[in-house]
Amino acid sequence: WIENMNTVMDDNKKLCLNSGEIIKLTGTMTMMFEPEDLAAASPATVSRNGMVLMEPHMLQLQSMVESWLELLPPSLEGQKKHFQELFDWYVPPLVRLIKKECKEPVATKETEQLFSLTKLLNSHITEFRDEEESKKIGAADVVKRVDGSFLFCVIWSIGCTTDDAGREKFNEAFRELMTKEGAPKIGVPIPEKSTVYDFCWERTKMKWLGWLDTIPQFTIPSTAKFQEILVPTIDTIRYGYVLETQVRNDYPVLFCGDTGTGKSVMVKEKLMKGMGDKFLSHFMNFSANSKANQTQDIIDGKVDKRRKGVFGPPLGKKLVVFVDDLNMPSKEAYGAQPPIEILRQHMHWGGWWDRKEIEWRQL
């Protein structure tokens, strides 16, 4: 599609359409594109534009940490220095370990891992954003909550993208960093027995618990149908916990793994039974024939008009869309997968264009 833009990118700035219509770009208009690479651009396109090359590694992790610290609620103002020490001590060596010595089934960038860490942290410090709640927390407890939340979030953002062998290495490196000379003082260290992946940080009790201790004793009801029984395991509990904390704080989550490992079953179980009445869920499957327009229409069909240009589920509710088999849509000529791109557009911009009315729909 970029080839159709070549006339606009000329000095005369005119868009010539197939219908013979010509639209002139005014002097105050600029066109900006953000492609991953130039694999699909011809020399004619490349020679007509100005380019800024930004390699991922040029965005230093430190700058991202600083901008996140700026957004901390006032009740955590006194903890900024401590947060900075924790980031400096744990993040660079662990990110390096995952990238250099461990295998990642789905490759991630360093910036993405740090972004996951800050999102997970935001979900664990929600009580500090509420003025009434934050006043009830004593000074010693604030430090405990910060330490526990930070360690837990590092494990489930940086340490969770690797396979089993990588997790063993991560566990050793993580424990070594905690006990090493010069390490920031941690008020609530992770228990010694088993790996760091086996413990959950319980915010209200301010202590580490085994994952299986965080749920009530499981018994199968005598009336249950066989196909409806899902026995909780350590994996369904911990991934369900990450899913719930992220979704409750309006962050999207992607689960990746081999087929038949129970991802869909776990997500559906959580969304249907574990999220309460405030959340409505809609399940959709992608296939090789999925199209972007079809994806947009399905989601648009699930929301109502709130006011001009704004759409959403019924008032007081939140809609969670679960997309299964996300990688299935076939690639188009230039290697993109349009149904995934339309979802990405919604994540970045909060909506998409109404194709009939040609107006922006905020979802």
Side-chain angles (χ1 to χ4, degrees), residues 188-204:
V188 276
I190 300 175
E192 283 296 318
K193 62 178 196 299
S194 61
T195 73
V196 292
Y197 295 96
D198 295 333
F199 295 98
C200 172
W201 171 244
E202 178 56 75
R203 280 194 283 174
T204 43

Side-chain angles (χ1 to χ4, degrees), residues 62-345:
Q62 182 53 37
S63 343
M64 293 174 70
V65 172
E66 282 169 16
S67 58
W68 180 75
L69 291 173
E70 292 289 316
L71 298 172
L72 281 180
S75 51
L76 282 174
E77 192 64 41
Q79 295 299 317
K80 279 189 180 176
K81 186 166 178 279
H82 185 51
F83 263 127
Q84 185 67 65
E85 286 170 1
L86 290 171
F87 272 106
D88 290 347
W89 184 261
Y90 287 99
V91 175
L94 291 174
V95 167
R96 199 176 309 118
L97 172 88
I98 293 288
K99 294 287 168 246
K100 299 276 189 276
E101 296 177 35
C102 303
K103 193 172 154 202
E104 287 184 299
V106 174
T108 57
K109 295 192 172 76
E110 294 176 9
T111 44
E112 289 166 343
Q113 287 194 310
L114 187 70
F115 204 51
S116 298
L117 169 58
T118 53
K119 284 196 287 194
L120 205 51
L121 262 172
N122 285 339
S123 314
H124 280 79
I125 55 172
T126 45
E127 63 270 32
F128 293 105
R129 296 189 190 282
D130 184 327
E131 275 187 40
E132 297 302 313
E133 284 289 314
S134 59
K135 281 175 187 164
K136 296 177 192 167
I137 305 170
D141 290 349
V142 170
V143 178
K144 276 187 180 176
R145 288 191 184 216
V146 164
D147 289 348
S149 298
F150 183 84
L151 294 182
F152 177 82
C153 295
V154 167
I155 297 163
W156 289 104
S157 57
I158 297 171
C160 70
T161 58
T162 179
D163 56 10
D164 286 345
R167 287 187 178 198
E168 282 175 27
K169 289 180 187 171
F170 182 88
N171 175 53
E172 285 168 22
F174 194 81
R175 289 197 180 281
E176 198 179 305
L177 277 173
M178 281 198 294
T179 52
K180 207 170 168 183
E181 196 180 328
K185 192 170 178 298
I186 296 286
V188 276
I190 300 175
E192 283 296 318
K193 62 178 196 299
S194 61
T195 73
V196 292
Y197 295 96
D198 295 333
F199 295 98
C200 172
W201 171 244
E202 178 56 75
R203 280 194 283 174
T204 43
K205 296 177 184 166
M206 287 182 293
K207 62 178 187 182
W208 296 94
L209 292 174
W211 283 106
L212 292 166
D213 302 332
T214 60
I215 58 161
Q217 188 69 32
F218 177 73
T219 49
I220 299 174
S222 53
T223 54
K225 292 181 186 157
F226 177 72
Q227 67 272 24
E228 288 171 3
I229 299 170
L230 183 68
V231 180
T233 65
I234 186 167
D235 285 319
T236 61
I237 298 167
R238 55 193 180 188
Y239 296 129
Y241 172 82
V242 171
L243 172 68
E244 184 175 340
T245 48
Q246 294 301 76
V247 168
R248 285 194 187 282
N249 289 282
D250 303 336
Y251 293 121
V253 189
L254 172 67
F255 284 99
C256 46
D258 295 334
T259 45
T261 47
K263 298 184 296 296
S264 306
V265 176
M266 184 273 298
V267 172
K268 283 178 180 168
E269 177 83 5
K270 191 74 189 170
L271 294 180
M272 306 261 287
K273 298 178 183 168
M275 297 299 291
D277 298 337
K278 189 183 170 190
F279 289 86
L280 303 172
S281 47
H282 174 63
F283 304 125
M284 56 192 283
N285 281 62
F286 272 177
S287 69
N289 295 324
S290 296
K291 300 281 180 278
N293 290 356
Q294 183 188 353
T295 307
Q296 186 178 346
D297 294 340
I298 291 172
I299 296 174
D300 278 344
K302 295 288 165 194
V303 293
D304 311 319
K305 188 167 184 172
R306 292 269 182 90
R307 54 181 188 276
K308 189 172 171 21
V310 179
F311 296 79
L315 272 173
K317 304 273 188 191
K318 281 188 182 177
L319 177 68
V320 182
V321 179
F322 169 48
V323 182
D324 208 356
D325 298 326
L326 185 74
N327 61 335
M328 286 294 281
S330 45
K331 293 183 176 179
E332 40 101 287
Y334 297 109
Q337 290 163 289
I340 302 178
E341 292 299 327
I342 191 94
L343 293 179
R344 192 179 66 94
Q345 181 183 347

